[in-house]
Short mmCIF file of all heavy atoms in Angstrom, two decimals:
data_model
loop_
_atom_site.label_atom_id
_atom_site.label_comp_id
_atom_site.label_asym_id
_atom_site.label_seq_id
_atom_site.Cartn_x
_atom_site.Cartn_y
_atom_site.Cartn_z
N GLN A 56 9.84 196.96 68.18
CA GLN A 56 8.85 195.89 68.15
C GLN A 56 8.97 195.13 66.85
O GLN A 56 9.40 195.63 65.83
CB GLN A 56 7.45 196.53 68.20
CG GLN A 56 7.12 197.24 69.48
CD GLN A 56 6.80 196.32 70.63
OE1 GLN A 56 6.93 195.10 70.54
NE2 GLN A 56 6.36 196.85 71.75
N PRO A 57 8.57 193.86 66.89
CA PRO A 57 8.53 193.11 65.65
C PRO A 57 7.41 193.72 64.73
O PRO A 57 6.49 194.35 65.26
CB PRO A 57 8.19 191.72 66.06
CG PRO A 57 7.54 191.83 67.40
CD PRO A 57 8.09 193.07 68.03
N PRO A 58 7.52 193.49 63.42
CA PRO A 58 6.47 194.01 62.55
C PRO A 58 5.14 193.36 62.90
O PRO A 58 5.02 192.15 62.89
CB PRO A 58 6.92 193.60 61.13
CG PRO A 58 7.93 192.53 61.36
CD PRO A 58 8.57 192.77 62.69
N SER A 59 4.16 194.20 63.27
CA SER A 59 2.87 193.64 63.75
C SER A 59 1.69 194.44 63.25
O SER A 59 0.76 194.68 64.00
CB SER A 59 2.87 193.63 65.29
OG SER A 59 3.91 192.90 65.81
N CYS A 60 1.78 194.89 62.02
CA CYS A 60 0.77 195.81 61.51
C CYS A 60 -0.60 195.19 61.61
O CYS A 60 -0.78 194.03 61.26
CB CYS A 60 1.13 196.17 60.07
SG CYS A 60 0.08 197.41 59.39
N VAL A 116 3.91 195.80 52.73
CA VAL A 116 3.71 194.68 51.81
C VAL A 116 2.36 194.01 52.06
O VAL A 116 1.87 193.99 53.20
CB VAL A 116 4.80 193.60 51.93
CG1 VAL A 116 6.04 193.97 51.19
CG2 VAL A 116 5.11 193.27 53.37
N HIS A 123 3.41 184.52 52.04
CA HIS A 123 4.78 184.65 51.54
C HIS A 123 5.69 185.23 52.63
O HIS A 123 5.20 185.59 53.70
CB HIS A 123 4.82 185.61 50.33
CG HIS A 123 4.05 185.14 49.15
ND1 HIS A 123 4.52 184.25 48.23
CD2 HIS A 123 2.77 185.44 48.73
CE1 HIS A 123 3.59 184.01 47.32
NE2 HIS A 123 2.51 184.76 47.60
N GLY A 124 6.94 185.27 52.33
CA GLY A 124 7.89 185.92 53.22
C GLY A 124 8.52 187.08 52.50
O GLY A 124 8.55 187.12 51.28
N PHE A 125 9.03 188.06 53.27
CA PHE A 125 9.71 189.20 52.67
C PHE A 125 11.00 189.41 53.40
O PHE A 125 10.99 189.88 54.58
CB PHE A 125 8.82 190.45 52.74
CG PHE A 125 9.37 191.64 52.05
CD1 PHE A 125 8.96 191.97 50.77
CD2 PHE A 125 10.32 192.45 52.66
CE1 PHE A 125 9.45 193.09 50.11
CE2 PHE A 125 10.84 193.57 52.00
CZ PHE A 125 10.40 193.90 50.75
N GLU A 126 12.11 189.01 52.82
CA GLU A 126 13.39 189.08 53.52
C GLU A 126 14.44 189.73 52.66
O GLU A 126 14.49 189.51 51.44
CB GLU A 126 13.83 187.65 53.85
CG GLU A 126 15.16 187.63 54.65
CD GLU A 126 15.77 186.21 54.73
OE1 GLU A 126 15.04 185.22 54.63
OE2 GLU A 126 17.01 186.16 54.86
N ASN A 131 18.11 193.56 58.65
CA ASN A 131 17.13 193.03 59.58
C ASN A 131 15.72 193.07 59.00
O ASN A 131 14.76 192.92 59.72
CB ASN A 131 17.16 193.74 60.91
CG ASN A 131 18.35 193.31 61.72
OD1 ASN A 131 19.01 192.33 61.40
ND2 ASN A 131 18.68 194.06 62.76
N VAL A 132 15.60 193.29 57.68
CA VAL A 132 14.28 193.34 57.10
C VAL A 132 13.80 191.90 56.87
O VAL A 132 14.40 191.11 56.12
CB VAL A 132 14.30 194.11 55.75
CG1 VAL A 132 12.90 194.06 55.12
CG2 VAL A 132 14.75 195.52 55.99
N ASN A 133 12.74 191.54 57.59
CA ASN A 133 12.21 190.17 57.57
C ASN A 133 10.76 190.28 58.03
O ASN A 133 10.51 190.76 59.11
CB ASN A 133 13.07 189.31 58.45
CG ASN A 133 12.88 187.82 58.26
OD1 ASN A 133 11.91 187.43 57.59
ND2 ASN A 133 13.78 187.05 58.82
N MET A 134 9.84 189.86 57.18
CA MET A 134 8.41 189.95 57.56
C MET A 134 7.66 188.77 56.97
O MET A 134 8.04 188.23 55.94
CB MET A 134 7.78 191.19 56.94
CG MET A 134 8.04 192.49 57.66
SD MET A 134 7.09 193.82 56.86
CE MET A 134 8.23 194.39 55.62
N MET A 135 6.52 188.44 57.63
CA MET A 135 5.58 187.51 57.01
C MET A 135 4.57 188.32 56.24
O MET A 135 4.11 189.38 56.72
CB MET A 135 4.86 186.73 58.12
CG MET A 135 5.73 185.88 59.00
SD MET A 135 6.31 184.40 58.19
CE MET A 135 4.77 183.54 57.94
N VAL A 136 4.18 187.83 55.08
CA VAL A 136 3.18 188.51 54.25
C VAL A 136 2.01 187.57 54.17
O VAL A 136 2.15 186.48 53.60
CB VAL A 136 3.75 188.83 52.86
CG1 VAL A 136 2.79 189.77 52.15
CG2 VAL A 136 5.13 189.46 52.96
N GLU A 137 0.85 188.02 54.69
CA GLU A 137 -0.31 187.12 54.69
C GLU A 137 -1.45 187.75 53.95
O GLU A 137 -1.66 188.99 54.08
CB GLU A 137 -0.68 186.82 56.15
CG GLU A 137 0.36 185.91 56.75
CD GLU A 137 0.12 185.59 58.25
OE1 GLU A 137 -1.01 185.75 58.73
OE2 GLU A 137 1.08 185.16 58.87
N VAL A 141 -1.86 193.89 55.78
CA VAL A 141 -0.68 194.63 55.36
C VAL A 141 0.35 194.43 56.45
O VAL A 141 0.01 194.45 57.62
CB VAL A 141 -1.02 196.13 55.22
CG1 VAL A 141 0.20 196.95 54.85
CG2 VAL A 141 -2.16 196.34 54.20
N ASN A 142 1.59 194.21 56.06
CA ASN A 142 2.65 194.19 57.08
C ASN A 142 3.61 195.31 56.76
O ASN A 142 3.75 195.75 55.62
CB ASN A 142 3.37 192.83 57.10
CG ASN A 142 3.87 192.49 58.51
OD1 ASN A 142 3.83 193.37 59.41
ND2 ASN A 142 4.31 191.27 58.71
N SER A 143 4.27 195.83 57.83
CA SER A 143 4.97 197.08 57.67
C SER A 143 6.20 197.13 58.57
O SER A 143 6.18 196.61 59.68
CB SER A 143 4.02 198.22 58.02
OG SER A 143 4.63 199.42 57.86
N LEU A 144 7.25 197.78 58.07
CA LEU A 144 8.50 197.84 58.83
C LEU A 144 9.30 199.02 58.31
O LEU A 144 9.26 199.31 57.11
CB LEU A 144 9.22 196.51 58.56
CG LEU A 144 10.58 196.18 59.12
CD1 LEU A 144 10.69 194.66 59.22
CD2 LEU A 144 11.69 196.71 58.27
N ASN A 159 10.86 183.97 51.92
CA ASN A 159 11.38 182.91 52.79
C ASN A 159 10.27 182.09 53.47
O ASN A 159 10.52 181.42 54.42
CB ASN A 159 12.35 183.50 53.83
CG ASN A 159 11.66 184.39 54.82
OD1 ASN A 159 10.42 184.51 54.83
ND2 ASN A 159 12.44 185.04 55.66
N GLU A 160 9.05 182.20 52.92
CA GLU A 160 7.99 181.32 53.43
C GLU A 160 7.40 180.53 52.28
O GLU A 160 7.01 181.11 51.29
CB GLU A 160 6.90 182.16 54.15
CG GLU A 160 5.85 181.36 54.85
CD GLU A 160 6.42 180.49 55.96
OE1 GLU A 160 7.13 179.53 55.67
OE2 GLU A 160 6.08 180.74 57.14
N LEU B 215 -5.21 183.68 59.35
CA LEU B 215 -4.47 183.95 60.61
C LEU B 215 -4.97 183.07 61.73
O LEU B 215 -4.21 182.57 62.57
CB LEU B 215 -4.60 185.45 60.99
CG LEU B 215 -3.76 185.86 62.17
CD1 LEU B 215 -2.30 185.60 61.97
CD2 LEU B 215 -3.96 187.33 62.48
N ARG B 218 -3.48 179.66 61.42
CA ARG B 218 -2.07 179.62 61.82
C ARG B 218 -1.91 179.71 63.33
O ARG B 218 -1.08 179.01 63.93
CB ARG B 218 -1.29 180.84 61.23
CG ARG B 218 -1.15 180.76 59.73
CD ARG B 218 -0.40 181.98 59.20
NE ARG B 218 0.97 181.99 59.69
CZ ARG B 218 1.93 181.25 59.22
NH1 ARG B 218 1.72 180.41 58.22
NH2 ARG B 218 3.17 181.35 59.69
N GLY B 273 2.49 179.93 71.66
CA GLY B 273 2.57 179.75 70.23
C GLY B 273 2.94 180.99 69.45
O GLY B 273 3.51 180.94 68.35
N PHE B 274 2.63 182.18 70.00
CA PHE B 274 2.94 183.42 69.25
C PHE B 274 4.41 183.60 68.97
O PHE B 274 4.78 184.40 68.10
CB PHE B 274 2.42 184.64 70.00
CG PHE B 274 0.94 184.83 69.93
CD1 PHE B 274 0.31 185.82 70.71
CD2 PHE B 274 0.15 184.06 69.10
CE1 PHE B 274 -1.07 185.97 70.65
CE2 PHE B 274 -1.23 184.23 69.02
CZ PHE B 274 -1.83 185.18 69.82
N HIS B 275 5.27 182.97 69.74
CA HIS B 275 6.69 183.21 69.45
C HIS B 275 7.09 182.56 68.10
O HIS B 275 8.18 182.84 67.62
CB HIS B 275 7.61 182.81 70.63
CG HIS B 275 7.89 181.35 70.73
ND1 HIS B 275 7.34 180.54 71.69
CD2 HIS B 275 8.66 180.52 69.98
CE1 HIS B 275 7.77 179.31 71.52
NE2 HIS B 275 8.57 179.27 70.51
N HIS B 276 6.22 181.76 67.52
CA HIS B 276 6.43 181.32 66.15
C HIS B 276 5.85 182.32 65.16
O HIS B 276 6.03 182.17 63.95
CB HIS B 276 5.76 179.97 65.92
CG HIS B 276 6.52 178.84 66.56
ND1 HIS B 276 7.23 177.93 65.83
CD2 HIS B 276 6.67 178.50 67.86
CE1 HIS B 276 7.80 177.05 66.65
NE2 HIS B 276 7.45 177.36 67.90
N GLN B 277 5.09 183.26 65.65
CA GLN B 277 4.39 184.21 64.77
C GLN B 277 4.83 185.64 64.97
O GLN B 277 4.09 186.56 64.66
CB GLN B 277 2.87 184.08 65.08
CG GLN B 277 2.33 182.71 64.76
CD GLN B 277 0.83 182.64 65.08
OE1 GLN B 277 0.41 182.54 66.22
NE2 GLN B 277 -0.01 182.74 64.04
N LEU B 278 6.06 185.80 65.54
CA LEU B 278 6.49 187.15 65.89
C LEU B 278 6.49 188.12 64.75
O LEU B 278 6.25 189.31 64.90
CB LEU B 278 7.89 187.09 66.53
CG LEU B 278 7.94 186.53 67.95
CD1 LEU B 278 9.34 186.37 68.46
CD2 LEU B 278 7.16 187.44 68.90
N LEU B 279 6.75 187.62 63.51
CA LEU B 279 6.84 188.54 62.38
C LEU B 279 5.55 188.66 61.57
O LEU B 279 5.57 189.16 60.45
CB LEU B 279 7.99 188.15 61.48
CG LEU B 279 9.38 188.08 62.14
CD1 LEU B 279 10.48 188.01 61.06
CD2 LEU B 279 9.64 189.32 63.00
N GLU B 280 4.45 188.14 62.14
CA GLU B 280 3.21 188.16 61.40
C GLU B 280 2.38 189.39 61.68
O GLU B 280 2.40 189.90 62.79
CB GLU B 280 2.36 186.91 61.75
CG GLU B 280 2.99 185.68 61.18
CD GLU B 280 2.15 184.45 61.41
OE1 GLU B 280 0.88 184.56 61.47
OE2 GLU B 280 2.72 183.38 61.49
N PRO B 281 1.64 189.85 60.70
CA PRO B 281 0.69 190.94 60.92
C PRO B 281 -0.54 190.38 61.65
O PRO B 281 -0.70 189.17 61.76
CB PRO B 281 0.30 191.38 59.51
CG PRO B 281 0.46 190.14 58.68
CD PRO B 281 1.61 189.36 59.27
N GLY B 282 -1.34 191.29 62.18
CA GLY B 282 -2.64 190.88 62.72
C GLY B 282 -2.61 190.51 64.21
O GLY B 282 -3.67 190.24 64.79
N ILE B 283 -1.42 190.50 64.83
CA ILE B 283 -1.35 190.22 66.28
C ILE B 283 -0.61 191.38 66.91
O ILE B 283 0.47 191.75 66.41
CB ILE B 283 -0.59 188.90 66.54
CG1 ILE B 283 -1.26 187.73 65.83
CG2 ILE B 283 -0.50 188.64 68.04
CD1 ILE B 283 -0.40 186.48 65.78
N LYS B 288 2.25 189.45 71.73
CA LYS B 288 3.43 188.66 71.33
C LYS B 288 4.45 188.67 72.51
O LYS B 288 5.00 187.64 72.86
CB LYS B 288 4.11 189.26 70.11
CG LYS B 288 3.30 189.05 68.82
CD LYS B 288 4.00 189.70 67.62
CE LYS B 288 3.25 189.45 66.32
NZ LYS B 288 3.81 190.24 65.21
N ASN B 359 15.73 182.26 69.11
CA ASN B 359 14.58 182.24 68.24
C ASN B 359 13.36 182.87 68.89
O ASN B 359 12.53 183.50 68.20
CB ASN B 359 14.19 180.79 67.89
CG ASN B 359 15.23 180.08 67.13
OD1 ASN B 359 16.11 180.68 66.54
ND2 ASN B 359 15.21 178.75 67.15
N SER B 361 13.20 185.19 71.10
CA SER B 361 13.31 186.57 71.56
C SER B 361 12.52 187.52 70.68
O SER B 361 12.57 187.40 69.45
CB SER B 361 14.77 186.98 71.64
OG SER B 361 15.45 186.19 72.60
N HIS B 362 11.90 188.45 71.32
CA HIS B 362 11.00 189.41 70.65
C HIS B 362 11.60 190.03 69.41
O HIS B 362 10.95 190.12 68.38
CB HIS B 362 10.68 190.48 71.68
CG HIS B 362 9.34 191.12 71.52
ND1 HIS B 362 8.21 190.43 71.24
CD2 HIS B 362 8.98 192.43 71.56
CE1 HIS B 362 7.19 191.29 71.18
NE2 HIS B 362 7.63 192.49 71.34
N GLN B 363 12.83 190.50 69.45
CA GLN B 363 13.42 191.19 68.30
C GLN B 363 14.47 190.33 67.57
O GLN B 363 14.62 190.45 66.37
CB GLN B 363 14.06 192.51 68.71
CG GLN B 363 13.12 193.48 69.35
CD GLN B 363 13.28 193.46 70.86
OE1 GLN B 363 13.93 192.58 71.41
NE2 GLN B 363 12.69 194.44 71.52
N LEU B 364 15.22 189.49 68.31
CA LEU B 364 16.25 188.71 67.66
C LEU B 364 15.65 187.78 66.62
O LEU B 364 16.33 187.41 65.62
CB LEU B 364 17.01 187.85 68.68
CG LEU B 364 18.19 188.53 69.39
CD1 LEU B 364 18.82 187.57 70.34
CD2 LEU B 364 19.18 189.06 68.40
N ASN B 365 14.41 187.43 66.84
CA ASN B 365 13.74 186.55 65.86
C ASN B 365 13.79 187.12 64.46
O ASN B 365 13.83 186.39 63.47
CB ASN B 365 12.28 186.38 66.33
CG ASN B 365 11.53 185.40 65.45
OD1 ASN B 365 10.90 185.80 64.48
ND2 ASN B 365 11.64 184.14 65.74
N GLN B 366 13.78 188.45 64.39
CA GLN B 366 13.79 189.11 63.07
C GLN B 366 15.01 188.71 62.24
O GLN B 366 14.98 188.71 61.01
CB GLN B 366 13.84 190.66 63.37
CG GLN B 366 13.65 191.45 62.12
CD GLN B 366 12.53 192.44 62.33
OE1 GLN B 366 11.90 192.47 63.36
NE2 GLN B 366 12.26 193.22 61.30
N VAL B 367 16.11 188.45 62.90
CA VAL B 367 17.35 188.11 62.21
C VAL B 367 17.29 186.70 61.62
O VAL B 367 17.78 186.43 60.54
CB VAL B 367 18.56 188.25 63.12
CG1 VAL B 367 19.89 187.96 62.40
CG2 VAL B 367 18.58 189.64 63.76
N VAL B 368 16.65 185.78 62.37
CA VAL B 368 16.73 184.37 61.98
C VAL B 368 15.40 183.77 61.50
O VAL B 368 15.39 182.65 61.01
CB VAL B 368 17.25 183.52 63.17
CG1 VAL B 368 18.66 183.87 63.50
CG2 VAL B 368 16.35 183.63 64.38
N HIS B 369 14.32 184.52 61.60
CA HIS B 369 13.00 183.99 61.29
C HIS B 369 13.00 183.40 59.86
O HIS B 369 13.37 184.10 58.91
CB HIS B 369 11.97 185.08 61.39
CG HIS B 369 10.55 184.61 61.18
ND1 HIS B 369 9.79 184.06 62.17
CD2 HIS B 369 9.79 184.56 60.07
CE1 HIS B 369 8.61 183.69 61.71
NE2 HIS B 369 8.60 183.97 60.40
N ASN B 370 12.52 182.17 59.78
CA ASN B 370 12.38 181.49 58.45
C ASN B 370 13.70 181.35 57.69
O ASN B 370 13.69 181.10 56.49
CB ASN B 370 11.35 182.21 57.58
CG ASN B 370 9.98 181.62 57.81
OD1 ASN B 370 9.85 180.59 58.41
ND2 ASN B 370 8.99 182.36 57.36
N THR B 371 14.81 181.59 58.37
CA THR B 371 16.06 181.21 57.72
C THR B 371 16.40 179.79 58.12
O THR B 371 15.76 179.19 59.02
CB THR B 371 17.24 182.10 58.19
OG1 THR B 371 17.47 181.83 59.53
CG2 THR B 371 16.92 183.57 57.99
#
Side-chain angles (χ1 to χ4, degrees):
Chain A
Q56 295 282 8
S59 302
C60 185
V116 278
H123 298 277
F125 186 97
E126 182 193 334
N131 284 347
V132 177
N133 196 346
M134 280 186 271
M135 298 286 295
V136 191
E137 290 176 18
V141 176
N142 211 350
S143 182
L144 177 154
N159 67 7
E160 187 61 292
Chain B
L215 185 58
R218 292 180 64 78
F274 284 171
H275 80 254
H276 285 253
Q277 298 180 280
L278 285 174
L279 301 193
E280 289 185 30
I283 303 168
K288 289 178 178 173
N359 297 340
S361 296
H362 208 45
Q363 302 100 347
L364 275 181
N365 184 267
Q366 188 126 0
V367 182
V368 294
H369 184 85
N370 271 345
T371 66

